[in-house]
């Protein structure tokens, strides 16, 4: 996207730009803790981080831009497993996601990002591009499973990874209860069984459409 | 909840209260079409519906209260199937959900409700109670499947119905793409395979926990 947003990776680690970015993201996280997304302002982040508010507007454009970059930054800490078999990889990733969103302030952050996306096309684009970057990386575990013959060859890695993530976002955003280890186990078991049954192997395995709409 | 919110069913169909409610919900839907949730105000709804703004505040408290009631109202139109076997019921419901959220203004509505819940505990409570009411109704198809011996006896109907809904909310809120028939088919196939494998049958089928957190 050709926008004023600072994409991850555009900063040089250790440089002044990277230090500014880190100070700002730390301040955003602290402000979210204090007052949530509703009361987050560029001015508060400027005050807490010691970075000029003009710099914030120039690089991140809006509070939406700030929370999206914070999510991108934090999610880099979720490891992508490679245990040699897909059931173990799915369970490991599901438990890592649980640990990640098990922190209340991170589940509030995803709420803030989704809210931002609902109101601001720019934030929506950032959210979409975040998952478009992240899912193919995670999907490598599915490609390896297909290579090992564990799954049908036409299995779509993005669909499998979306299915692994979906129950966590449902739990946080819709059911509005904390994620837990039982959800991780249930989700990993479910995705494995579904992938084996060809649910993510596209039209080749899809049942014929019928007229069941309301 | 002992709040100023008007719960569904508290209005008498055909009465003045019901007519007021219908006029207000119609106006809310039209306002969301015009300007989205970001620009929705009680005053605009009052003007469009012809209902005094004081009445709106008394009965719905906030724009969050209004959009939550609208969602409740609309979702009553999604039929709960009973075809005599769970795979068909799951597919029918998945396609009904697709038809429901396939309307852009309804998927924008769920976005608005989730955003409202992120900022307003009252809206969060309404969202949670909506799903707490709706899921057990939908879950009857799972209870019937257990009675027919299609699924393990300890299968949790709420978990199965949550798993059926999750991919649609993921698609709308996270992936930010339209729902479609392929998602309905994939989801129905996935939930059936997962439920058969005992993924929603609680701890009895859950694998032993290990240390996979980051």
């Amino acid at each position: 996207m050709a926008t004023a947003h600072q994409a991850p990776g555009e900063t040089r680690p250790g440089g002044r730009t990277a230090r500014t970015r880190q100070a700002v993201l730390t301040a955003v996280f602290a402000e979210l803790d204090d007052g949530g997304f509703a009361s987050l302002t560029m001015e508060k982040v400027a005050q807490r981080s010691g970075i000029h508010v003009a710099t914030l507007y120039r690089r991140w454009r809006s509070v939406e831009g700030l929370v999206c970059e914070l999510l991108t930054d934090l999610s880099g800490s979720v490891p992508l497993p490679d245990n040699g078999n897909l059931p173990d990889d799915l369970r490991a990733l599901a438990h890592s996601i649980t640990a990640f969103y098990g922190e209340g302030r991170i589940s509030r952050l995803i709420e803030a990002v989704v809210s931002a996306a609902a109101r601001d096309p720019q934030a929506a684009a950032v959210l979409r591009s975040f998952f478009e970057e992240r899912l193919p990386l995670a999907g490598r575990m599915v490609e390896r499973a297909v290579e090992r013959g564990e799954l049908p060859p036409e299995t779509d890695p993005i669909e499998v990874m979306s299915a692994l993530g979906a129950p966590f976002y449902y739990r946080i955003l819709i059911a509005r209860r904390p994620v837990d280890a039982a959800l991780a186990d249930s989700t990993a078991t479910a995705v494995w069984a579904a992938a084996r049954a060809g649910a993510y192997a596209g039209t080749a395995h899809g049942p014929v459409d019928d007229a069941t709409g309301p």
Side-chain angles (χ1 to χ4, degrees), chain A:
Chain A
M1 293 181 303
T3 73
H5 271 281
Q6 185 78 7
E10 286 182 20
T11 55
R12 285 153 301 168
R16 193 164 66 100
T17 307
R19 285 196 304 274
T20 297
R21 180 172 176 277
Q22 201 48 59
V24 168
L25 295 187
T26 302
V28 172
F29 215 2
E31 285 295 328
L32 285 175
D33 271 348
D34 278 4
F37 182 64
S39 65
L40 186 70
T41 65
M42 297 296 252
E43 287 68 26
K44 283 184 189 171
V45 174
Q47 195 155 40
R48 193 184 279 253
S49 66
I51 306 296
H52 280 296
V53 72
T55 305
L56 299 187
Y57 276 107
R58 194 172 60 244
R59 284 188 50 186
W60 289 279
R61 207 181 69 95
S62 63
V63 290
E64 282 80 8
L66 285 171
V67 293
C68 289
E69 178 140 352
L70 178 58
L71 179 68
T72 304
D73 191 68
L74 291 170
S75 62
S77 70
V78 177
L80 297 176
D82 183 5
N83 295 302
N85 70 87
L86 188 60
D88 280 356
D89 281 354
L90 290 172
R91 284 198 72 240
L93 183 54
H95 280 274
S96 293
I97 294 172
T98 299
F100 184 64
Y101 285 122
E103 274 196 60
R105 61 189 203 156
I106 299 188
S107 66
R108 284 193 298 276
L109 176 62
I110 186 73
E111 254 192 1
V113 170
V114 169
S115 299
R119 288 193 306 278
D120 175 5
Q122 179 68 36
V126 171
L127 181 62
R128 199 163 42 233
S129 73
F130 164 65
F131 280 93
E132 278 169 5
E133 266 176 43
R134 180 81 183 164
L135 287 180
L137 291 177
R140 285 186 193 152
M141 70 172 64
V142 178
E143 290 165 6
R144 292 192 300 266
V146 169
E147 284 160 19
R148 287 188 300 257
E150 293 180 284
L151 292 184
E154 61 273 44
T155 302
D156 183 335
I158 304 292
E159 278 194 49
V160 176
M161 287 299 110
S162 298
L164 192 77
F168 295 96
Y169 297 101
Y170 183 90
R171 176 69 67 90
I172 295 165
L173 299 170
I174 303 287
R176 308 194 63 78
R177 288 184 291 122
V179 300
D180 55 25
L183 180 66
D185 286 334
S186 158
T187 300
T189 303
V191 171
W192 169 243
R196 293 280 286 181
Y200 312 119
T203 47
H205 287 250
V208 176
D209 196 32
D210 63 5
T212 49

